[in-house]
Amino acid sequence: MDLVIATKNRNKLEEIRQILAETGLKVMGTTDIQSLPDVVEDGLSFEENARKKALTIAKLTGRLTLADDSGLVVDALNGRPGVLSARYSGENATPAENNRKLLDELKDVPMKKRTARFVCVMALARPSGKVSVVEGRAEGIITSELRGGEGFGYDPLFLVPEKGKTFAEMAPAEKNRISHRAIALQKAAEVLGAVARQEKS
Ligand code: IMP
């Protein structure tokens, strides 16, 4: 059975392909399929965006489709930047600008109140319209200065207390064991395994 991953990001696609290797599904990205539109992420929640992307592509391709949406949720900012994580300091914001804005908004907030989490929601849509949703979370604290050179986005500000390191101070393999995306993907793999078994029987 084919599975479309609603992403144009090659790294995400490869990571997903590896984790799903044992399901026997044939995994393809949206760039492998001609003339698919970009789905606008205008939802108010990660789930809304993930569902919209998965359903749109599943209907257009007639194939099982997995889509994700993720971002950073900061408690002291009432959940911001949330679904606006990529565009926190403006439409074409760079990660450096977003990190600067986050530090600025938290400048008067003491360490113990700087709790935050990365959230990743994955939606699996069948062409029939049935959707399953799973979620992964990684808990942490927003540091007061940038630390580390690995990763991307908010990684240099996201401290994982049990490890004493930010995501950007971890080797990619270490982050990929505990990240919100890895946790969501493990859960999605379980759902997909069940769907693949059902198809075979
Ligand atoms: P996307 O939904 O995976 O494209 O992520 C949206 C935005 O959330 C990214 O542009 C980043 O700003 C932020 N983000 C999501 N996951 C991570 C992560 O693992 N590290 C750092 N930033 C992330």
Side-chain angles (χ1 to χ4, degrees):
M1 192 175 32
D2 294 342
L3 171 69
V4 179
I5 310 296
T7 183
K8 290 186 172 149
N9 180 324
R10 284 273 141 203
N11 296 327
K12 263 193 201 173
L13 187 61
E14 263 326 298
E15 189 189 328
I16 293 176
R17 213 171 240 149
Q18 279 168 23
I19 291 185
L20 299 181
E22 280 170 18
T23 59
L25 292 160
K26 185 181 161 219
V27 176
M28 55 181 88
T30 41
T31 42
D32 299 327
I33 303 165
Q34 293 291 306
S35 64
L36 284 176
D38 273 331
V39 182
V40 181
E41 296 186 20
D42 54 2
L44 296 178
S45 67
F46 299 119
E47 179 170 341
E48 219 180 301
N49 282 334
R51 273 179 183 273
K52 181 181 174 191
K53 270 191 279 185
L55 259 178
T56 306
I57 304 294
K59 296 253 180 215
L60 286 170
T61 59
R63 292 183 170 109
L64 190 64
T65 301
L66 184 71
D68 77 329
D69 192 33
S70 63
L72 180 67
V73 172
V74 180
D75 292 321
L77 301 177
N78 296 320
R80 276 183 292 126
V83 286
L84 296 179
S85 290
R87 298 164 270 160
Y88 189 31
S89 68
E91 211 40 58
N92 296 310
T94 63
E97 287 164 350
N98 286 336
N99 282 330
R100 206 172 312 127
K101 176 161 176 179
L102 183 58
L103 282 178
D104 200 44
E105 292 218 280
L106 290 175
K107 68 178 183 307
D108 298 323
V109 179
M111 262 314 143
K112 64 176 192 305
K113 292 202 170 146
R114 295 168 76 110
T115 49
R117 65 206 54 78
F118 275 121
V119 177
C120 175
V121 173
M122 291 193 170
L124 178 70
R126 287 79 161 167
S128 67
K130 183 172 182 217
V131 185
S132 311
V133 174
V134 295
E135 182 180 294
R137 290 174 171 221
E139 298 287 337
I141 288 169
I142 304 302
T143 51
S144 53
E145 57 187 15
L146 298 164
R147 286 171 48 177
E150 300 281 351
F152 69 100
Y154 298 95
D155 282 350
L157 293 179
F158 189 79
L159 178 77
V160 180
E162 307 87 79
K163 304 270 182 189
K165 287 191 254 186
T166 65
F167 266 178
E169 290 174 313
M170 294 179 193
E174 186 177 8
K175 177 187 166 188
N176 289 342
R177 274 197 296 277
I178 59 172
S179 80
H180 48 308
R181 216 174 340 274
I183 294 165
L185 196 48
Q186 287 298 345
K187 292 183 184 174
E190 283 168 31
V191 178
L192 277 163
V195 173
R197 282 194 297 279
Q198 221 170 32
E199 277 291 309
K200 271 187 218 150
S201 64

